[in-house]
Amino acid sequence: MRIKAAVLYEQGLPRPYTESRPLRLEEVELDPPGPGEVLIEIAAAGLCHSDLSTIENLRPRPLPIIIGHEGAGIVRECGPGVRGLAPGDHVVALFVTSCGECRDCVRGKPNICSSSFAARAKGTLPSGARRLKRLDGAAVNHNSGLSLFAEYAVVTAESVVKIGQDIPLEDAALFGCAVMTGAGAVFNTARLRPGEDVAVVGLGGVGMSALLGAVAGGASRIIAVDRSAEKLALARQWGATDTFLADEGCVEAVREATGGGVDTVIETAGVLPALELSVAITARGGQTITAGLPHVQARFAFSPFALVSEERSIRASYMGSCVPRRDLPMMLDLYRRGKLPVDRLRSGFVSLEEMNLGFERLAEGSVLRQILRPHSG
Ligand SMILES: NC(=O)c1ccc[n+]([C@@H]2O[C@H](COP(=O)([O-])OP(=O)(O)OC[C@H]3O[C@@H](n4cnc5c(N)ncnc54)[C@H](O)[C@@H]3O)[C@@H](O)[C@H]2O)c1
Ligand SMILES: [Zn+2]
Ligand SMILES: [Zn+2]
């Protein structure tokens, strides 16, 4: 079938994106679902900083590619052998597909399934198949097995989780990346216990989800840090007890206000200065959890002596260390009961025509999650 999609042909084009237009709205050909695959009508897809990093060339990808890895939609067709899904089902997309068989999956870490990462580098679905091509027949790459900046996607059935039809799809979409990553970093990676103190550094879609997760998880003191005063004001409304601008005096101010630092610091900014700041405001004996994804070549220096003698740890969190089929229902239930009000993360809607404007706004730092509605004109 012919579908409309936003196709990325070149990484690293200059801003403003409204002029360089890295994403081109085009018609492409989408093959029907093969064995074990499903056709999804995309209802909503979030614009995540990871997509922006792909546009900026912070991480090389096979081109041309249809990006977009956070979204929700409706199953329209099932390929042969698909079980547990039927046309009409509502689903959230997962940007890591678990094969269930590799060492990582067997050890209970489906969020880092190695076969999923191999397919990502090649720009295919996890099976190695491609279902996207240009109208002239040239190949178009898949992104994380999803490619959601389009009207429809063919994905492997393991790339989606069925959800209740009571959840608005534009809210469900947020769970696929921002919420699983941010709230998951708090619940799973940090294993927050009620009454503990948490700091979140970098208050975008992921960081605000971590903040809402810290509120839901019963954190006592919640310290929010960002470069944007507007985001700090929002964080305060949403449950932060202390807010700090990420300026020169920040480390000292946080350490003073907290009597030496915070036990758990979650870094969700994706730049090295934020990671350095996060380590510096972590208390002796505390943990820095990093979820941001800077340039693939970036390197980070720390003092092994301080790490050891102050018994600090730096731990990484990918997709919130989630087991999606376990954690998504739990997080959706918190949302249903008003305890994880992630609908607040939505900063408005964009159409496929407006994607370059959407990424320009994200690069400016003026929005949280904008939601693409690919069928709106
Ligand atoms: N680990 C994962 O699984 C995963 C998943 C999704 C996104 N990410 C990564 O997480 C990061 C955040 O994504 P997002 O979509 O929330 O981005 P975003 O652009 O919405 O938010 C980033 C925030 O960081 C703030 N910031 C920038 N520099 C800072 C500094 N020096 N100190 C403090 N704050 C600073 C910005 O003002 C902004 O509020 C990105 O690097 C993204 O690639 C990781
Ligand atoms: Zn993302
Ligand atoms: Zn696996």
Side-chain angles (χ1 to χ4, degrees):
M1 67 193 282
R2 269 190 194 187
I3 62 162
K4 276 196 226 154
V7 186
L8 178 69
Y9 278 90
E10 194 182 343
Q11 296 179 271
L13 288 177
R15 289 180 56 198
Y17 298 133
T18 41
E19 280 170 30
S20 61
R21 306 195 71 78
L23 295 172
R24 286 194 221 162
L25 175 56
E26 281 188 356
E27 283 203 320
V28 295
E29 191 64 36
L30 181 66
D31 289 341
E37 296 168 3
V38 289
L39 170 71
I40 309 291
E41 179 182 337
I42 316 285
L47 277 62
C48 171
H49 202 111
S50 293
D51 299 306
L52 178 59
S53 297
T54 302
I55 292 171
E56 288 173 334
N57 202 19
L58 263 55
R59 48 186 82 167
R61 288 280 184 264
L63 300 170
I65 189 167
I66 298 174
I67 55 176
H69 64 277
E70 173 184 281
I74 304 172
V75 176
R76 289 301 179 204
E77 194 183 329
C78 294
V82 170
R83 286 189 298 165
L85 288 172
D89 282 350
H90 288 196
V91 291
V92 168
L94 305 175
F95 63 90
V96 181
T97 304
S98 116
C99 71
E101 289 170 6
C102 72
R103 206 168 74 112
D104 310 301
C105 287
V106 168
R107 286 191 307 183
K109 299 290 293 174
N111 60 318
I112 50 166
C113 170
S114 25
S115 51
S116 182
F117 281 71
R120 180 180 299 176
K122 284 185 282 177
T124 65
L125 296 182
S127 65
R130 285 174 200 280
R131 302 290 174 223
L132 287 165
K133 49 183 180 290
R134 283 179 16 185
L135 298 186
D136 65 7
V140 173
N141 289 288
H142 294 265
N143 177 51
S144 302
L146 296 176
S147 296
L148 302 179
F149 293 160
E151 294 178 311
Y152 292 85
V154 166
V155 304
T156 187
E158 284 74 33
S159 290
V160 296
V161 177
K162 184 176 163 179
I163 60 163
Q165 306 217 349
D166 58 318
I167 311 254
L169 287 167
E170 65 259 29
D171 291 346
L174 298 161
F175 285 79
C177 179
V179 181
M180 270 206 295
T181 303
V186 173
F187 297 156
N188 296 326
T189 323
R191 297 192 176 280
L192 173 79
R193 291 169 55 87
E196 287 179 353
D197 295 345
V198 179
V200 180
V201 178
L203 303 169
V206 175
M208 288 297 197
S209 297
L211 181 112
L212 293 173
V215 174
S220 193
R221 205 157 167 192
I222 303 175
I223 291 123
V225 182
D226 201 286
R227 288 187 319 184
S228 147
E230 290 80 38
K231 287 186 175 162
L232 293 179
L234 262 188
R236 209 170 250 286
Q237 283 174 31
W238 296 356
T241 55
D242 305 68
T243 55
F244 295 90
L245 258 189
D247 57 17
E248 276 144 46
C250 182
V251 170
E252 217 178 283
V254 175
R255 291 185 68 86
E256 197 184 305
T258 55
V262 189
D263 291 331
T264 293
V265 180
I266 316 244
E267 180 277 318
T268 47
V271 291
L272 284 183
L275 181 54
E276 282 156 4
L277 186 148
S278 298
V279 172
I281 64 168
T282 303
R284 294 163 67 83
Q287 55 176 350
T288 314
I289 311 276
T290 174
L293 291 164
H295 193 291
V296 282
Q297 304 291 352
R299 294 293 179 268
F300 170 56
F302 57 83
S303 155
F305 184 85
L307 211 60
V308 172
S309 61
E310 298 175 16
E311 210 172 61
R312 300 156 169 279
S313 59
I314 302 175
R315 302 179 54 206
S317 180
Y318 195 68
M319 203 166 73
S321 313
C322 281
V323 176
R325 277 160 230 285
R326 177 195 69 191
D327 295 331
L328 257 179
M330 175 271 289
M331 291 179 183
L332 286 166
D333 197 46
L334 285 175
Y335 158 87
R336 257 191 206 101
R337 292 190 285 134
K339 297 194 181 302
L340 203 57
V342 297
D343 49 304
R344 295 177 183 169
L345 300 176
R346 278 196 277 103
S347 305
F349 295 100
V350 291
S351 65
L352 275 169
E353 286 83 358
E354 295 163 329
M355 292 301 277
N356 292 305
L357 171 63
F359 278 106
E360 184 55 33
R361 289 191 198 121
L362 185 61
E364 280 167 3
S366 55
V367 287
L368 289 172
R369 274 303 198 259
Q370 303 166 91
I371 300 290
L372 163 69
R373 284 195 291 209
H375 299 273
S376 71

